[in-house]
Amino acid sequence: QVQVAESGGGLVRAGGSLRLSCVVSGMIFRLNAMGWYRQAPGKQRELVAAITSGGVTDYGDSVKGRFTISRDNTKNMVYLQMNSLKPEDTAVYYCNPVRAFGSTWVPVVGSWGQGTQVTVSS
């Protein structure tokens, strides 16, 4: 089955940067779109960014211009470069294969990895 493992989170001050990584196994990675999600305490999980198999990217409005999603098909890895971090970016970040659904993306796999905690202090 599909397995994901996220890493790279940590504690950073507002304005700082972090780079998250996600390694994927159990599927033909290069053929699948991938997404990064986040979930803050008391809030629903939300899509942060998505990247198609061909490298076309899509971002949530709150992170446009600050976050960059990328992928390395030779390593089955997807990345999220986060710059100009804000306290409201504090959340657990998850990756998952996604598929297009209307104007948005939905996760393909019903289960989620452990995620990686990002905490931004003011």
Side-chain angles (χ1 to χ4, degrees):
Q1 71 273 22
V2 177
Q3 292 186 320
V4 299
E6 304 93 345
S7 62
L11 173 63
V12 64
R13 290 186 176 182
S17 298
L18 282 173
R19 188 192 192 210
L20 306 184
S21 299
C22 171
V23 61
V24 184
S25 61
M27 70 176 196
I28 305 175
F29 178 79
R30 60 183 174 82
L31 297 182
N32 285 269
M34 290 295 301
W36 280 99
Y37 290 79
R38 68 185 180 188
Q39 186 167 23
K43 295 188 177 182
Q44 288 191 331
R45 188 173 283 142
E46 65 171 347
L47 180 72
V48 174
I51 184 167
T52 68
S53 58
V56 177
T57 57
D58 190 17
Y59 297 93
D61 289 341
S62 61
V63 305
K64 282 180 181 177
R66 300 188 298 123
F67 290 10
T68 302
I69 188 171
S70 61
R71 64 190 296 159
D72 185 338
N73 290 338
T74 67
K75 298 180 179 179
N76 284 15
M77 298 282 292
V78 60
Y79 306 98
L80 187 68
Q81 177 66 42
M82 306 186 295
N83 299 328
S84 302
L85 283 161
K86 304 175 181 181
E88 50 264 42
D89 295 317
T90 295
V92 179
Y93 284 71
Y94 304 87
C95 68
N96 206 316
V98 294
R99 63 176 178 86
F101 184 78
S103 62
T104 187
W105 302 86
V106 294
V108 171
V109 179
S111 61
W112 296 86
Q114 294 290 325
T116 186
Q117 175 71 50
V118 171
T119 304
V120 184
S121 63
S122 58

